[in-house]
Amino acid sequence: MISKKDTKFLEKLIDKFDDSKNKKTYHFPLLEKGFTNEDIFRGIEVLLSRKLTMSEITKKFENTFAKFIGSKYALMVNSGSSANLLSAFALINPKKKGRLKPGDKFIIPAICWSTSLWPLVQCGLQPKFVDVNINNYCLDEKLLKRDKKIKAVMNIHILGNSPNMDMLSHYVKKNNLFLIEDTCEALGSKFRSKYLGTFGDFGTYSFYYSHQITSGEGGMVICKTKEDYDLLYTMRSHGWDRGLNNSSKTKKFNFINSGFNVRGMDLTAAIGLSQLKRLKKMIKSRSKNRNSIVNKLKNHTEWDNQYTFFNPNKNLKPSWFGLPLLINKDLIFKKEKFLKYLNNSGVETRPILSGNFLNQQGCKLYNFKYKKSDIKISQEIEDRGFFIGLPTNDMSLGKLNFLTEKLIKIKDF
Ligand SMILES: Cc1ncc(COP(=O)(O)O)c(C=O)c1O
């Protein structure tokens, strides 16, 4: 443990390396000062112990995460992508009851992330892209139809939002489908009284930079049954039985299944655990900051409906990731120049996820079948949308003014 005297020394050192205090003007990155002194201390303690790899702290993080989220099992991995990878490969594994077969179809929203889609494709499954809802950018549950070839849903909770989980859960149950909830952008959002990620067979989370909590890199996958947990556990580390309750007592290197190496680390687990303690506070600040930005823009003398804001789904208590904005249709032609201006003046922007993913070059290689007319909203969100970060501390009035004065000016470009 770091003593009080050491703490003082380290605080001075951290302060010396903090370049944000030298910045004279306001800026608005996706995430500012993502780590507190406390987070850094917990990381340093692990470094000093010289035991960086997965061990007791990872286990503690998993147990604390499972308890927080309300899931029976949680397994730490090295990224949200790896959490998706394990979930996808679990669905086709010989150990999985009712496992999927090559060519089986799965539903995925057309606004998706690369590693929400590809692990399932790498498993030999075929995507059926479904359009999203213009109000929340998530899978439009009203478009879900009965189709015997569809065996699973990869749902994505975009930027803290969600589809109507009552309807999605009903559809999944009625048609006897597997459900993976990619919750990499929505840790802490609740639909009714349940955290997102806990509705499906598997829920996945990312702790990458600027997500609801960050440990630099890192991820978590949750599941409901011991069978699924043991399967994920084995696949996480080479297909090995080491550490399982029923592992071989006589053979040390016993590989009981296929696998990867996507283990977490005690170093990142210690930082993640420290961040998880602050999650509720950060959710509050992000929500407050979002409301301040939206209100300030809407009450600005120059407000002329330049943007449409996205709304939490009914019954959702959101944990925002960032603030997405849809540019008014009449102003779309200004988007490129305007975003360049924002980025050059310190307001970092990103596309909404990666836009309509079917436009990505990688998809052309795979010749996915779809009709453009079926994914019109996803295209509209790509054309009109961008997002900015939301600070995890309550932001100052100066910063709020800096941002809104920039955003309101889009018409001038
Ligand atoms: C929806 C979604 N899924 C998966 C991922 C992958 O997470 P990671 O970067 O931790 O691999 C991301 C990353 O931003 C994401 O936004």
Side-chain angles (χ1 to χ4, degrees):
M1 278 288 280
I2 292 172
S3 69
K4 267 197 177 152
K5 197 168 140 222
D6 294 335
T7 301
K8 288 240 156 55
F9 165 75
L10 285 172
E11 277 169 352
K12 268 195 197 154
L13 194 65
I14 292 168
D15 194 51
K16 196 172 139 192
F17 276 79
D18 179 7
D19 63 352
S20 68
K21 62 183 194 298
N22 301 326
K23 293 208 166 93
K24 301 258 176 322
T25 51
Y26 290 111
H27 61 296
F28 209 87
L30 279 192
L31 180 70
E32 196 172 7
K33 277 188 138 184
F35 302 101
T36 60
N37 287 4
E38 189 67 23
D39 300 336
I40 297 170
F41 295 158
R42 298 293 81 82
I44 289 174
E45 279 171 356
V46 179
L47 277 170
L48 292 174
S49 77
R50 296 165 202 254
K51 267 176 60 189
L52 274 57
T53 51
M54 189 174 83
S55 189
E56 286 88 8
I57 302 173
T58 306
K59 192 81 220 136
K60 187 171 173 201
F61 185 30
E62 291 171 343
N63 290 342
T64 312
F65 191 93
K67 204 165 163 208
F68 172 88
I69 214 84
S71 169
K72 213 158 178 196
Y73 302 98
L75 189 92
M76 191 188 179
V77 285
N78 57 2
S79 70
S81 302
S82 299
N84 284 343
L85 185 82
L86 291 192
S87 306
F89 274 83
L91 294 187
I92 60 157
N93 194 278
K95 278 256 184 187
K96 179 80 186 152
K97 224 169 105 197
R99 72 169 165 140
L100 302 187
K101 302 280 178 332
D104 281 347
K105 285 190 175 174
F106 65 97
I107 281 173
I108 185 163
I111 299 261
C112 69
W113 185 252
S114 153
T115 49
S116 320
L117 169 71
W118 294 121
L120 290 155
V121 175
Q122 286 153 353
C123 284
L125 306 174
Q126 276 188 37
K128 158 108 180 91
F129 291 92
V130 173
D131 211 357
V132 299
N133 182 315
I134 191 70
N135 294 315
N136 54 53
Y137 317 166
C138 292
L139 189 69
D140 187 342
E141 61 286 319
K142 291 185 284 309
L143 300 174
L144 297 174
K145 304 216 169 70
R146 191 170 159 71
D147 176 344
K148 277 195 174 149
K149 289 190 187 135
I150 288 169
K151 305 285 183 195
V153 177
M154 166 53 97
N155 175 63
I156 303 168
H157 297 299
I158 290 184
L159 296 169
N161 224 323
S162 84
N164 180 328
M165 293 309 290
D166 292 338
M167 282 174 78
L168 182 59
S169 303
H170 178 74
Y171 173 78
V172 163
K173 199 165 172 204
K174 195 168 160 211
N175 294 292
N176 200 20
L177 312 179
F178 290 116
L179 172 62
I180 302 175
E181 285 181 83
D182 181 333
T183 321
C184 288
E185 298 190 348
L187 170 60
S189 289
K190 268 183 174 175
F191 189 87
R192 299 193 191 278
S193 57
K194 273 175 76 168
Y195 279 112
L196 296 182
T198 60
F199 290 80
D201 297 276
F202 301 104
T204 64
Y205 302 86
S206 164
F207 311 137
Y208 186 61
Y209 161 83
S210 91
H211 289 240
Q212 279 85 354
I213 63 170
T214 178
S215 53
E217 295 277 6
M220 197 73 81
V221 51
I222 60 167
C223 63
K224 295 184 165 72
T225 67
K226 177 85 170 77
E227 289 74 30
D228 281 344
Y229 174 77
D230 284 355
L231 180 53
L232 295 170
Y233 181 97
T234 317
M235 286 197 302
R236 171 174 69 174
S237 188
H238 313 276
W240 211 340
D241 75 348
R242 187 169 67 170
L244 276 183
N245 288 347
N246 54 353
S247 61
S248 168
K249 299 287 172 281
T250 50
K251 197 171 168 200
K252 258 191 163 176
F253 287 82
N254 200 31
F255 297 94
I256 57 171
N257 207 322
S258 56
F260 307 93
N261 174 7
V262 291
R263 290 184 300 246
M265 290 176 81
D266 267 16
L267 177 63
T268 43
I271 298 170
L273 193 54
S274 174
Q275 292 238 334
L276 190 59
K277 290 185 187 150
R278 290 204 313 286
L279 175 61
K280 284 189 175 164
K281 190 172 157 281
M282 293 195 283
I283 292 173
K284 258 195 190 155
S285 285
R286 278 188 154 164
S287 176
K288 193 171 160 192
N289 291 334
R290 177 200 184 268
N291 295 342
S292 304
I293 298 167
V294 172
N295 290 337
K296 189 94 187 167
L297 282 171
K298 283 189 167 173
N299 291 309
H300 198 287
T301 47
E302 291 172 51
W303 176 248
D304 191 19
N305 294 307
Q306 286 92 329
Y307 304 105
T308 311
F309 304 101
F310 98 152
N311 297 307
N313 210 328
K314 200 174 152 212
N315 299 315
L316 184 82
K317 194 160 175 261
S319 162
W320 295 127
F321 179 106
L323 175 64
L325 300 144
L326 289 191
I327 298 170
N328 180 326
K329 282 185 187 164
D330 300 336
L331 300 171
I332 294 183
F333 70 103
K334 294 176 184 276
K335 185 179 168 190
E336 202 182 326
K337 213 168 155 197
F338 181 61
L339 292 195
K340 219 178 240 171
Y341 158 76
L342 284 182
N343 286 298
N344 287 339
S345 47
V347 180
E348 205 177 339
T349 69
R350 287 277 189 282
I352 290 173
L353 224 49
S354 9
N356 169 8
F357 200 77
L358 282 154
N359 293 333
Q360 300 286 345
Q361 230 178 317
C363 284
K364 309 276 185 279
L365 291 173
Y366 285 79
N367 240 336
F368 296 133
K369 303 270 175 295
Y370 71 100
K371 278 199 226 138
K372 276 192 174 166
S373 56
D374 287 343
I375 50 163
K376 277 200 275 208
I377 304 294
S378 303
Q379 189 57 46
E380 182 178 336
I381 289 172
E382 169 167 333
D383 295 339
R384 294 176 56 197
F386 70 96
F387 92 87
I388 56 173
L390 281 174
T392 50
N393 291 313
D394 295 1
M395 64 180 165
S396 67
L397 189 60
K399 201 170 173 105
L400 176 65
N401 289 338
F402 161 81
L403 176 71
T404 47
E405 284 308 314
K406 298 235 164 335
L407 288 174
I408 204 80
K409 294 286 179 220
I410 184 166
K411 281 164 116 190
D412 299 350
F413 283 78

PDB file of all heavy atoms in Angstrom, residues 243-257:
ATOM      1  N   GLY A 243      -7.433 -23.407 -13.364  1.00  0.00           N
ATOM      2  CA  GLY A 243      -8.246 -22.505 -12.537  1.00  0.00           C
ATOM      3  C   GLY A 243      -9.722 -22.874 -12.490  1.00  0.00           C
ATOM      4  O   GLY A 243     -10.466 -22.338 -11.668  1.00  0.00           O
ATOM      5  N   LEU A 244     -10.166 -23.771 -13.352  1.00  0.00           N
ATOM      6  CA  LEU A 244     -11.577 -24.202 -13.304  1.00  0.00           C
ATOM      7  C   LEU A 244     -11.781 -25.102 -12.076  1.00  0.00           C
ATOM      8  O   LEU A 244     -10.867 -25.825 -11.683  1.00  0.00           O
ATOM      9  CB  LEU A 244     -11.939 -25.003 -14.547  1.00  0.00           C
ATOM     10  CG  LEU A 244     -12.345 -24.252 -15.813  1.00  0.00           C
ATOM     11  CD1 LEU A 244     -12.732 -25.249 -16.894  1.00  0.00           C
ATOM     12  CD2 LEU A 244     -13.512 -23.303 -15.554  1.00  0.00           C
ATOM     13  N   ASN A 245     -12.986 -25.089 -11.520  1.00  0.00           N
ATOM     14  CA  ASN A 245     -13.268 -25.929 -10.342  1.00  0.00           C
ATOM     15  C   ASN A 245     -12.946 -27.393 -10.595  1.00  0.00           C
ATOM     16  O   ASN A 245     -12.380 -28.080  -9.755  1.00  0.00           O
ATOM     17  CB  ASN A 245     -14.757 -25.839  -9.973  1.00  0.00           C
ATOM     18  CG  ASN A 245     -15.058 -24.487  -9.366  1.00  0.00           C
ATOM     19  OD1 ASN A 245     -14.142 -23.755  -9.021  1.00  0.00           O
ATOM     20  ND2 ASN A 245     -16.341 -24.154  -9.263  1.00  0.00           N
ATOM     21  N   ASN A 246     -13.333 -27.863 -11.788  1.00  0.00           N
ATOM     22  CA  ASN A 246     -13.148 -29.299 -12.062  1.00  0.00           C
ATOM     23  C   ASN A 246     -11.926 -29.555 -12.946  1.00  0.00           C
ATOM     24  O   ASN A 246     -11.924 -30.465 -13.759  1.00  0.00           O
ATOM     25  CB  ASN A 246     -14.410 -29.865 -12.719  1.00  0.00           C
ATOM     26  CG  ASN A 246     -14.799 -29.077 -13.951  1.00  0.00           C
ATOM     27  OD1 ASN A 246     -14.186 -28.032 -14.235  1.00  0.00           O
ATOM     28  ND2 ASN A 246     -15.784 -29.553 -14.682  1.00  0.00           N
ATOM     29  N   SER A 247     -10.892 -28.725 -12.799  1.00  0.00           N
ATOM     30  CA  SER A 247      -9.701 -28.910 -13.642  1.00  0.00           C
ATOM     31  C   SER A 247      -8.978 -30.205 -13.254  1.00  0.00           C
ATOM     32  O   SER A 247      -9.125 -30.706 -12.128  1.00  0.00           O
ATOM     33  CB  SER A 247      -8.756 -27.725 -13.491  1.00  0.00           C
ATOM     34  OG  SER A 247      -8.336 -27.635 -12.152  1.00  0.00           O
ATOM     35  N   SER A 248      -8.168 -30.689 -14.212  1.00  0.00           N
ATOM     36  CA  SER A 248      -7.482 -31.958 -13.985  1.00  0.00           C
ATOM     37  C   SER A 248      -6.506 -31.849 -12.816  1.00  0.00           C
ATOM     38  O   SER A 248      -5.755 -30.884 -12.702  1.00  0.00           O
ATOM     39  CB  SER A 248      -6.723 -32.347 -15.254  1.00  0.00           C
ATOM     40  OG  SER A 248      -5.860 -33.399 -14.971  1.00  0.00           O
ATOM     41  N   LYS A 249      -6.544 -32.832 -11.947  1.00  0.00           N
ATOM     42  CA  LYS A 249      -5.644 -32.818 -10.788  1.00  0.00           C
ATOM     43  C   LYS A 249      -4.303 -33.461 -11.151  1.00  0.00           C
ATOM     44  O   LYS A 249      -3.298 -33.272 -10.477  1.00  0.00           O
ATOM     45  CB  LYS A 249      -6.274 -33.601  -9.617  1.00  0.00           C
ATOM     46  CG  LYS A 249      -7.608 -33.031  -9.130  1.00  0.00           C
ATOM     47  CD  LYS A 249      -7.438 -31.727  -8.355  1.00  0.00           C
ATOM     48  CE  LYS A 249      -8.753 -31.068  -8.033  1.00  0.00           C
ATOM     49  NZ  LYS A 249      -9.388 -30.312  -9.106  1.00  0.00           N
ATOM     50  N   THR A 250      -4.295 -34.237 -12.225  1.00  0.00           N
ATOM     51  CA  THR A 250      -3.085 -34.986 -12.550  1.00  0.00           C
ATOM     52  C   THR A 250      -2.288 -34.359 -13.688  1.00  0.00           C
ATOM     53  O   THR A 250      -1.075 -34.500 -13.748  1.00  0.00           O
ATOM     54  CB  THR A 250      -3.453 -36.429 -12.964  1.00  0.00           C
ATOM     55  OG1 THR A 250      -4.487 -36.332 -13.946  1.00  0.00           O
ATOM     56  CG2 THR A 250      -3.913 -37.241 -11.767  1.00  0.00           C
ATOM     57  N   LYS A 251      -2.996 -33.629 -14.594  1.00  0.00           N
ATOM     58  CA  LYS A 251      -2.301 -33.082 -15.763  1.00  0.00           C
ATOM     59  C   LYS A 251      -2.305 -31.565 -15.681  1.00  0.00           C
ATOM     60  O   LYS A 251      -3.361 -30.952 -15.572  1.00  0.00           O
ATOM     61  CB  LYS A 251      -3.064 -33.553 -17.019  1.00  0.00           C
ATOM     62  CG  LYS A 251      -2.283 -33.435 -18.282  1.00  0.00           C
ATOM     63  CD  LYS A 251      -3.041 -34.120 -19.418  1.00  0.00           C
ATOM     64  CE  LYS A 251      -2.418 -33.758 -20.737  1.00  0.00           C
ATOM     65  NZ  LYS A 251      -3.313 -33.972 -21.838  1.00  0.00           N
ATOM     66  N   LYS A 252      -1.121 -30.949 -15.746  1.00  0.00           N
ATOM     67  CA  LYS A 252      -1.031 -29.496 -15.573  1.00  0.00           C
ATOM     68  C   LYS A 252      -1.423 -28.722 -16.823  1.00  0.00           C
ATOM     69  O   LYS A 252      -2.103 -27.709 -16.757  1.00  0.00           O
ATOM     70  CB  LYS A 252       0.392 -29.120 -15.166  1.00  0.00           C
ATOM     71  CG  LYS A 252       0.506 -28.830 -13.682  1.00  0.00           C
ATOM     72  CD  LYS A 252       1.831 -28.207 -13.373  1.00  0.00           C
ATOM     73  CE  LYS A 252       1.781 -27.544 -12.011  1.00  0.00           C
ATOM     74  NZ  LYS A 252       3.062 -26.998 -11.631  1.00  0.00           N
ATOM     75  N   PHE A 253      -0.953 -29.202 -17.966  1.00  0.00           N
ATOM     76  CA  PHE A 253      -1.251 -28.489 -19.212  1.00  0.00           C
ATOM     77  C   PHE A 253      -2.356 -29.237 -19.952  1.00  0.00           C
ATOM     78  O   PHE A 253      -2.110 -30.020 -20.853  1.00  0.00           O
ATOM     79  CB  PHE A 253       0.022 -28.330 -20.053  1.00  0.00           C
ATOM     80  CG  PHE A 253       0.953 -27.305 -19.460  1.00  0.00           C
ATOM     81  CD1 PHE A 253       1.804 -27.632 -18.418  1.00  0.00           C
ATOM     82  CD2 PHE A 253       0.938 -25.992 -19.914  1.00  0.00           C
ATOM     83  CE1 PHE A 253       2.630 -26.684 -17.836  1.00  0.00           C
ATOM     84  CE2 PHE A 253       1.762 -25.025 -19.342  1.00  0.00           C
ATOM     85  CZ  PHE A 253       2.610 -25.369 -18.303  1.00  0.00           C
ATOM     86  N   ASN A 254      -3.571 -28.984 -19.504  1.00  0.00           N
ATOM     87  CA  ASN A 254      -4.718 -29.739 -19.986  1.00  0.00           C
ATOM     88  C   ASN A 254      -5.627 -28.817 -20.797  1.00  0.00           C
ATOM     89  O   ASN A 254      -6.277 -27.937 -20.237  1.00  0.00           O
ATOM     90  CB  ASN A 254      -5.470 -30.298 -18.757  1.00  0.00           C
ATOM     91  CG  ASN A 254      -6.359 -31.455 -19.112  1.00  0.00           C
ATOM     92  OD1 ASN A 254      -6.050 -32.206 -20.035  1.00  0.00           O
ATOM     93  ND2 ASN A 254      -7.460 -31.601 -18.407  1.00  0.00           N
ATOM     94  N   PHE A 255      -5.637 -29.008 -22.117  1.00  0.00           N
ATOM     95  CA  PHE A 255      -6.406 -28.114 -22.991  1.00  0.00           C
ATOM     96  C   PHE A 255      -7.700 -28.809 -23.396  1.00  0.00           C
ATOM     97  O   PHE A 255      -7.679 -29.754 -24.171  1.00  0.00           O
ATOM     98  CB  PHE A 255      -5.553 -27.706 -24.196  1.00  0.00           C
ATOM     99  CG  PHE A 255      -4.333 -26.920 -23.776  1.00  0.00           C
ATOM    100  CD1 PHE A 255      -3.114 -27.548 -23.559  1.00  0.00           C
ATOM    101  CD2 PHE A 255      -4.430 -25.564 -23.536  1.00  0.00           C
ATOM    102  CE1 PHE A 255      -2.010 -26.831 -23.122  1.00  0.00           C
ATOM    103  CE2 PHE A 255      -3.326 -24.832 -23.106  1.00  0.00           C
ATOM    104  CZ  PHE A 255      -2.110 -25.465 -22.898  1.00  0.00           C
ATOM    105  N   ILE A 256      -8.807 -28.336 -22.840  1.00  0.00           N
ATOM    106  CA  ILE A 256     -10.060 -29.072 -22.974  1.00  0.00           C
ATOM    107  C   ILE A 256     -10.971 -28.517 -24.072  1.00  0.00           C
ATOM    108  O   ILE A 256     -12.036 -29.049 -24.329  1.00  0.00           O
ATOM    109  CB  ILE A 256     -10.829 -29.094 -21.624  1.00  0.00           C
ATOM    110  CG1 ILE A 256     -11.100 -27.669 -21.132  1.00  0.00           C
ATOM    111  CG2 ILE A 256     -10.078 -29.920 -20.588  1.00  0.00           C
ATOM    112  CD1 ILE A 256     -12.029 -27.599 -19.940  1.00  0.00           C
ATOM    113  N   ASN A 257     -10.554 -27.401 -24.676  1.00  0.00           N
ATOM    114  CA  ASN A 257     -11.388 -26.811 -25.734  1.00  0.00           C
ATOM    115  C   ASN A 257     -10.488 -25.958 -26.627  1.00  0.00           C
ATOM    116  O   ASN A 257      -9.300 -25.804 -26.331  1.00  0.00           O
ATOM    117  CB  ASN A 257     -12.513 -25.974 -25.105  1.00  0.00           C
ATOM    118  CG  ASN A 257     -13.742 -25.884 -25.995  1.00  0.00           C
ATOM    119  OD1 ASN A 257     -13.641 -25.787 -27.211  1.00  0.00           O
ATOM    120  ND2 ASN A 257     -14.916 -25.943 -25.382  1.00  0.00           N
TER     121      ASN A 257
END
